[in-house]
Amino acid sequence: MRQDSTTGPVVNGAQSVDRAVSVLEILAQRGEAGVREAAAQLDVHKSTAFRLLGALESRGLVEQTAERGRYRLGFGLVHLAGAVVDRLDITRQGRPVCEQLTVEIGETISVAVLKEHYAITLYQVRGPGAVGTHSRVGQPTPVHATATGKVLLAHLPARERTTLLAHSSMKRVTPNTLTAGRELDRHLAEARDRGYAVTLEEFEVGLHAMAAPIRSRDGGVVAALCASGPAYRFTEERMHELAPVLLKGAEEISRRVGHAG
């Protein structure tokens, strides 16, 4: 193994990541710390601790205090934590809204977010009907074939959307699944224009769904609120009739998580 005259064996990537996280934990516990203290806690040479702190500082994850050579957590962590906080907040704030919507719409209501090239359900309330729909929380679903996925896609920047769809492959799931980019683009444009997306047996035969965007404090679309039900009952006509109710619910969740509207 190649040696470094000051730090011993050259650490591999996993060790570096582990040590960087440990530095952040040390600063979270202590409030601030110097290079010598960090090195002692990590049981590494001072130069190794200095390089770790320097790398974290360059990304805004730590910053030096007024006393040079001492570090504290930086505001860059706020940006990283924001996405997680928003998701947790959406689930918490959205729960009572979803429960009310199941009564008003009479179908299963769920909240989903985008992860890589999938839509992931965070929370779900089953509808009151004897025959209803149910998808597993945390289960990845194809963005091009689901109402939640369409809403999340519709509000992505065009370049990001193209890259995401290239990774998803737009595979056919049912005979009604959209697999042509031009046709999907038309559906996404409709979703932006009317404020909600619709799928007609595109993800599962016999299943219809509609979804509306949930916005964060800064106005960006961070999640989708969905109503889904059996095609024979939750018809296309009925979905359009109930769309204002779903949109109002999405606006309420957005307001609860800080979006001013």
Side-chain angles (χ1 to χ4, degrees):
M1 183 181 293
R2 185 164 58 92
Q3 301 287 314
D4 184 293
S5 61
T6 58
T7 63
V10 175
V11 297
N12 60 32
Q15 284 178 311
S16 296
V17 171
D18 183 66
R19 286 173 175 174
V21 172
S22 295
V23 169
L24 296 176
E25 290 174 341
I26 291 166
L27 295 180
Q29 292 168 1
R30 292 177 170 235
E32 62 178 59
V35 175
R36 188 184 299 277
E37 295 167 77
Q41 285 289 311
L42 294 171
D43 193 24
V44 298
H45 194 276
K46 264 182 60 178
S47 61
T48 300
F50 181 77
R51 285 198 298 270
L52 285 168
L53 286 162
L56 292 169
E57 184 181 20
S58 71
R59 303 302 294 267
L61 302 179
V62 305
E63 61 187 20
Q64 292 195 50
T65 66
E67 183 183 349
R68 298 290 294 178
R70 295 191 66 77
Y71 295 82
R72 63 190 175 200
L73 295 178
F75 283 101
L77 286 170
V78 175
H79 174 71
L80 291 179
V84 176
V85 171
D86 281 344
R87 290 183 182 187
L88 293 174
D89 208 25
I90 286 167
T91 302
R92 183 172 61 252
Q93 298 294 345
R95 185 173 288 112
V97 178
C98 290
E99 290 172 351
Q100 180 60 34
L101 285 175
T102 59
V103 176
E104 295 182 34
I105 295 178
E107 303 293 352
T108 296
I109 306 296
S110 57
V111 174
V113 296
L114 192 65
K115 180 172 177 159
E116 297 175 350
H117 51 278
Y118 296 104
I120 305 287
T121 299
L122 294 182
Y123 179 71
Q124 184 179 82
V125 182
R126 298 193 69 171
V131 178
T133 61
H134 177 65
S135 61
R136 191 167 68 250
V137 171
Q139 178 183 15
T141 56
V143 286
H144 67 291
T146 55
T148 52
K150 284 184 181 180
V151 161
L152 296 167
L153 278 175
H155 294 278
L156 284 178
R159 182 175 295 181
E160 188 175 343
R161 183 166 60 247
T162 299
T163 301
L164 188 151
L165 287 172
H167 283 90
S168 72
S169 303
M170 290 186 63
K171 293 180 180 178
R172 188 177 299 281
V173 184
T174 75
N176 287 356
T177 304
L178 303 180
T179 57
R182 184 172 296 180
E183 188 177 13
L184 180 61
D185 285 343
R186 180 173 62 80
H187 279 241
L188 299 183
E190 286 179 355
R192 286 189 293 271
D193 290 342
R194 66 189 175 196
Y196 62 97
V198 166
T199 52
L200 305 173
E201 300 187 80
E202 295 167 41
F203 175 57
E204 183 180 322
V205 174
L207 174 69
H208 284 180
M210 63 175 175
I214 296 172
R215 299 181 182 274
S216 64
R217 297 172 184 84
D218 62 7
V221 173
V222 292
L225 178 66
C226 178
S228 59
Y232 74 86
R233 184 176 69 211
F234 203 41
T235 63
E236 183 175 8
E237 181 181 8
R238 180 161 173 74
M239 284 194 287
H240 290 310
E241 288 175 356
L242 290 169
V245 179
L246 186 74
L247 287 167
K248 184 178 178 182
E251 289 168 2
E252 174 61 17
I253 296 175
S254 300
R255 185 191 66 76
R256 285 170 176 248
V257 297
H259 179 54

